[in-house]
Amino acid sequence: MAKIHVTATINGEEAEFLCEPQQTMLDVLRDELSLTGSKEGCGSGDCGACSIIVDGRLVCSCLMFGAEAAGTDIMTIEGMAQGEKLHPLQQKFLEHAALQCGFCTPGVLVASKALLDRHPNPTEEQARYWLAGNLCRCTGYDKIIEALMDAAAEMRGE
Amino acid sequence: MLGATGARPLSGGTDLIVQLKSGRNRPNAIVDLKKIPGMIGIEAYKGGFKIGASTAGAQLGENAALVKAYPGVVEGAELIGSTQVQGRASLAGNLCNASPAADSVPCLAAAGAIAVVVGPDGEREVLVEKIPVSPGKTSLKAGEFIKAFILPERPAHASDAYLRFIPRTEMDIAVVGAGVNIVTDGAGTITAATVWLGAVAPTIVQVDASCLVGTKLDDAALAKLDAAAQAVCKPIDDKRGTIEYRTKVAGVLARRAAAIALKRAGER
Ligand SMILES: Cc1cc2nc3c(=O)[nH]c(=O)nc-3n(C[C@H](O)[C@H](O)[C@H](O)COP(=O)(O)OP(=O)(O)OC[C@H]3O[C@@H](n4cnc5c(N)ncnc54)[C@H](O)[C@@H]3O)c2cc1C
Ligand code: FES
Ligand code: FES
């Protein structure tokens, strides 16, 4: 089958790629665009390691076709730091040791950013529910939540 | 294009793409409905609402007017999956995937929601409960898809509620789901009640809720509703719940959802 030509904005820059009709956005990011920060944990929407933000909405890139990216504005984990300067969430995750193996971390960070974009002052409960689709085998989640809440406070200037 | 054999419509893909990967669904073409104007969005319509069939769950929860009028419909839709899944999962996909445990369907049916179906023969309006016919099967004909859902105008002092029971607090499949829609006279007496259950039969099933009409949901009315709910259950036995367990929980959830719907109706 013919490949589909797609143009989208990825991390603020125009990107063009060719993809197979059945190729997922996660496959496109990793295999066509060499953006390997997004991870494949399950491929079925359960783990959140592949989380990206599409037109302001958090989605699993493993449950989206690459062809659907046409004309959208996408943010991946690679778009989070500004050059060498880490995003406050990234910085706080390091300070709080909110990662061990790190496999879940890109997805957790992108999901956390999506939360703070919408709700700069979340309650802990809100944060836990928001991240229910991001599985972590290592940390037990408490450190992730602590880092997220700390970053939120810092970003609010508290 | 959808008329071609083996073509499937795509909304959020949170069922379809999983099924493609597992090999359970092998379409030879996929049509992304989201690109069709009107498939996404919520508008006021004849005193009620018209919801584009592919609108993502998260968008429903962000519409204050819809949440106020149909809190039960919205809570059913918002229970679907995680934040990520909410960013894509639609009412049409939930209904047309035709799982008996689909969380948005009992309250849509209880609300009297209508699916606007389009296809090669034009447009027709169908009650939501007529769409799923058995697990994984719908009554849609080849080439047909759902364009929108219509929620009727809300009378004053009416509301709804959805409750589901799952072994975890998030991200699981309903063992039982109960959707209740209640209209009152404004003084707390019920004038109409509609109750549908999910996950206790091959499709959603309606409970005879006539026992609630004329009552203020006293203990006797609740006991009758509990019995009526248990009477329509034909559940399966599986690791999530035995037949006896699901049947008992159905009665409990119907009662609790009715109480919430009544309370909400009083607050409107
Ligand atoms: C991690 C995860 C958790 C989940 N949790 C839940 C849950 O808690 N409760 C629950 O009920 N479901 C759950 N689901 C299932 C799924 O998310 C829902 O059923 C969702 O509503 C499907 O909508 P969609 O738009 O993604 O459908 P799609 O995958 O796009 O489509 C589903 C089916 O409907 C058809 N279809 C889509 N749109 C139309 C249309 N407009 N007209 C006709 N046919 C159409 C498709 O061809 C396909 O057969 C979960 C899924 C995942 C991956
Ligand atoms: S890889 Fe997408 S949710 Fe697990
Ligand atoms: S740090 Fe290992 S999975 Fe989260």
Side-chain angles (χ1 to χ4, degrees):
Chain A
M1 209 182 253
K3 287 203 175 193
I4 301 172
H5 177 245
V6 177
T7 324
T9 306
I10 299 181
N11 299 326
E13 282 173 29
E14 182 148 315
E16 269 187 78
F17 57 85
L18 291 172
C19 67
E20 305 282 347
Q22 75 282 6
Q23 223 173 346
T24 66
M25 192 59 203
L26 179 61
D27 292 341
V28 167
L29 289 171
R30 295 182 56 85
D31 303 341
E32 311 296 332
L33 300 170
S34 301
L35 294 173
T36 55
S38 305
K39 305 294 179 207
E40 175 155 20
C42 65
S44 56
D46 294 292
C47 77
C50 64
S51 297
I52 60 171
I53 300 176
V54 181
D55 288 336
R57 293 236 178 254
L58 184 68
V59 306
C60 294
S61 60
C62 73
L63 292 188
M64 169 183 171
F65 290 115
E68 289 183 77
T72 61
D73 190 349
I74 291 179
M75 198 215 94
T76 71
I77 184 65
E78 287 85 357
M80 211 151 161
Q82 299 299 318
E84 293 291 295
K85 194 175 172 337
L86 292 181
H87 186 279
L89 277 163
Q90 293 172 309
Q91 190 59 45
K92 291 296 178 192
F93 269 59
L94 285 175
E95 287 170 19
H96 286 262
L99 62 152
Q100 288 174 32
C101 79
F103 194 82
C104 70
T105 313
V108 173
L109 283 169
V110 170
S112 303
K113 179 172 186 302
L115 170 67
L116 299 185
D117 286 348
R118 253 164 223 277
H119 308 284
N121 194 3
T123 62
E124 185 181 324
E125 191 188 357
Q126 206 178 1
R128 284 187 188 271
Y129 270 100
W130 185 275
L131 291 182
N134 291 87
L135 303 184
C136 174
R137 304 192 304 174
C138 307
T139 64
Y141 303 102
D142 279 352
K143 290 187 176 195
I144 290 177
I145 298 296
E146 280 166 25
L148 192 171
M149 298 304 278
D150 194 8
E154 184 180 287
M155 288 165 70
R156 291 193 304 271
E158 284 165 20
Chain B
M1 187 168 170
L2 273 175
T5 40
R8 293 290 320 159
L10 170 76
S11 285
T14 60
D15 280 316
L16 189 57
I17 299 181
V18 176
Q19 290 162 13
L20 278 175
K21 291 186 183 190
S22 70
R24 217 182 98 194
N25 205 325
R26 291 179 190 278
N28 45 34
I30 287 174
V31 181
D32 186 2
L33 299 177
K34 299 189 294 302
K35 305 281 182 202
I36 303 172
M39 292 300 295
I40 293 180
I42 302 161
E43 57 179 276
Y45 181 78
K46 293 189 177 166
F49 298 87
K50 191 179 221 175
I51 304 173
S54 301
T55 307
Q59 265 172 286
L60 303 182
E62 288 162 12
N63 188 299
L66 182 69
V67 174
K68 187 156 180 274
Y70 286 100
V73 169
V74 174
E75 81 200 340
E78 286 195 313
L79 276 173
I80 299 171
S82 57
T83 317
Q84 286 85 339
V85 172
Q86 278 291 306
R88 305 252 300 163
S90 68
L91 294 178
N94 200 221
L95 182 65
C96 296
N97 187 55
S99 155
D103 280 310
S104 72
V105 183
C107 257
L108 279 176
I114 289 165
V116 183
V117 174
V118 286
D121 304 330
E123 223 172 271
R124 60 192 179 104
E125 295 192 348
V126 191
L127 281 170
V128 155
E129 61 263 32
K130 302 286 185 208
I131 301 282
V133 291
S134 63
K137 290 235 152 37
T138 70
S139 58
L140 296 176
K141 289 180 246 155
E144 282 190 329
F145 66 94
I146 299 175
K147 187 171 102 176
F149 293 97
I150 296 171
L151 286 171
E153 181 171 10
R154 258 297 187 212
H157 315 299
S159 198
D160 61 352
Y162 178 73
L163 287 177
R164 77 168 175 189
F165 178 77
I166 54 172
R168 300 170 61 197
T169 53
E170 268 278 276
M171 302 278 291
D172 207 342
I173 302 169
V175 170
V176 180
V180 177
N181 192 78
I182 276 179
V183 185
T184 70
D185 62 0
T189 300
I190 296 171
T191 56
T194 320
V195 179
W196 285 82
L197 299 175
V200 292
T203 61
I204 57 163
V205 283
Q206 185 164 18
V207 176
D208 176 2
S210 56
C211 55
L212 302 185
V213 175
T215 76
K216 294 190 173 198
L217 214 58
D218 50 77
D219 287 348
L222 283 171
K224 282 186 198 158
L225 177 66
D226 192 318
Q230 295 203 32
V232 295
C233 292
K234 288 186 235 40
I236 53 165
D237 247 326
D238 73 1
K239 61 173 193 267
R240 289 168 195 281
T242 60
I243 291 175
E244 294 75 14
Y245 183 67
R246 283 179 194 252
T247 307
K248 188 157 172 49
V249 172
V252 174
L253 286 196
R255 275 193 277 127
R256 289 186 190 162
I260 297 170
L262 180 67
K263 180 162 175 286
R264 287 177 179 165
E267 289 160 0
R268 279 189 77 237

